[in-house]
């Protein structure tokens, strides 16, 4: 679909410094590229007043500074795609995922994909249809979860069950390449066990290592976001936002049930080569605005901390982008 090539100036927000844990993380502002895929911009939208459709970013870097020795973190470019409908989003997301699968299989003979729960799995449905069903090298895929509820795998709250019923059961990914948590353990035990699993796969070079951060570098994370701006099981104001040493940690007091979960930490999420954030629904428009447009504020949402080493791409249905 042809898009306008016009470029507009994006107002620079003043919240350029994010602080968490013992580190102060400086984010040199890199304006996101915003593409409207036939989406109708609201008349009161600043974007409609500017009349632009795309914004081209520059690649930037930031360094985590602390009294402790910490690695240099590389922050890649950010793209924002807005779609008329969830159907169009799903079509684009399938091509995006299939293209990255081909890229990494060619480069590494493996493709490490991290899933989340919620409505994301439904948005992956086009991958099980032609042409992707037959063209993707599914045997090269390794599947992980950015977070998981500590419940049995057949429990309705299980992210594994959600992914299996809606996606994994329909594609020929090798069962041994589907890396779920050990649901027989406690939340703390499951988190430790999952991190041990990841470390073994890094040792075996199935998962790459970030040269800049030293954390595991997954090829692609497919993320969702809650109306409160949480990603994975990292919730606003929760102490886990400050975790910058562990790869996988646990939570026993999740503000969203069920209370016991395991989750990747931000250093792991942000060390991913590519991160895709899929957001549908008007109920998430405030969080989207907070992440992409707001001015100075001391209330930093978890989604605002997300980045990627190569590219971070937002996939938004127009209702979720209605306040941009």
């Amino acid at each position: 679909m042809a898009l306008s090539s016009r470029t507009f100036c994006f107002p620079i927000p003043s919240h350029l410094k994010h602080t968490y844990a013992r580190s102060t993380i400086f984010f040199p502002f890199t304006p996101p590229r915003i593409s409207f895929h036939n989406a109708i911009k609201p008349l009161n939208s600043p974007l409609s007043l500017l009349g632009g459709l795309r914004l081209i970013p520059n690649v930037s870097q930031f360094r985590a500074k602390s009294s402790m020795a910490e690695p240099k973190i590389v922050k890649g470019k950010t793209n924002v795609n807005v779609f008329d409908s969830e159907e169009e989003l799903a079509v684009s997301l399938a091509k995006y995922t299939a293209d990255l699968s081909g890229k990494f299989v060619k480069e590494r003979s493996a493709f490490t994909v991290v899933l989340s729960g919620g409505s994301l799995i439904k948005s992956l449905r086009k991958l099980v249809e032609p042409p992707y069903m037959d063209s993707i090298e599914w045997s090269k895929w390794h599947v992980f979860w950015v977070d998981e509820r500590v419940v049995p795998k057949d429990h309705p709250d299980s992210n594994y069950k959600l992914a299996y019923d809606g996606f994994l059961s329909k594609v020929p990914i090798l069962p041994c390449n589907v890396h779920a948590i050990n649901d027989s353990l406690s939340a703390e035990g499951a988190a430790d066990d999952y991190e041990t699993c990841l470390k073994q796969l890094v040792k075996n070079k199935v998962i790459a290592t970030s040269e800049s951060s030293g954390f595991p570098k997954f090829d692609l994370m497919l993320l969702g976001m809650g109306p409160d701006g949480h990603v994975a099981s990292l919730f606003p104001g929760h102490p886990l936002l400050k975790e910058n040493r562990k790869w996988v940690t646990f939570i026993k007091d999740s503000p969203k049930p069920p209370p016991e979960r395991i989750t990747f930490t931000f250093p792991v999420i942000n060390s991913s080569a590519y991160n895709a954030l899929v957001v549908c629904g008007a109920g998430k428009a405030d969080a989207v605005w907070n992440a992409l447009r707001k001015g100075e504020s001391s209330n930093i949402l978890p989604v605002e901390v997300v980045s990627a080493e190569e590219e971070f791409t937002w996939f938004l249905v127009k209702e979720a982008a209605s306040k941009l």
Side-chain angles (χ1 to χ4, degrees), residues 254-307:
S254 168
K256 179 180 178 182
E260 296 195 356
R261 301 161 175 238
I262 67 100
T263 183
F264 283 4
T265 60
F266 270 126
V268 173
I269 292 172
N270 293 347
S271 292
S272 180
Y274 292 81
N275 278 331
L277 185 67
V278 179
V279 186
C280 303
K284 300 179 180 182
D286 284 335
V288 171
W289 179 85
N290 270 288
L292 294 175
R293 294 285 309 206
K294 78 172 185 181
E296 185 172 353
S297 172
S298 59
N299 298 319
I300 302 301
L301 299 180
V303 69
E304 295 179 68
V305 184
V306 177
S307 63

Side-chain angles (χ1 to χ4, degrees), residues 176-191:
C176 61
N177 288 355
V178 177
H179 306 279
I181 71 166
N182 184 341
D183 58 9
S184 67
L185 301 175
S186 66
E188 183 175 6

Side-chain angles (χ1 to χ4, degrees), residues 20-23 64-73 191-192 195 198-199 212-216 234 239-249 263-269 271:
Y20 64 90
R22 288 165 286 190
S23 304
K65 298 182 179 181
S66 170
S67 57
M68 303 174 63
E70 294 187 359
K72 179 179 180 181
I73 306 296
D192 289 343
E195 181 166 326
L198 298 186
K199 288 181 176 179
S212 60
S213 73
F215 285 93
L234 299 167
L240 286 187
L241 298 178
K242 301 177 182 180
E243 178 57 60
N244 61 359
R245 296 296 179 187
K246 292 182 178 179
W247 295 10
V248 184
T249 190
T263 183
F264 283 4
T265 60
F266 270 126
V268 173
I269 292 172
S271 292

Side-chain angles (χ1 to χ4, degrees), residues 10 24 61 63 70 100 148 153 166 184 227 234-235 238 249:
F10 197 77
T24 300
Q61 297 181 340
R63 180 182 295 274
E70 294 187 359
L100 286 177
E148 178 58 284
K153 290 183 177 64
S184 67
L234 299 167
F235 293 92
H238 196 279
T249 190

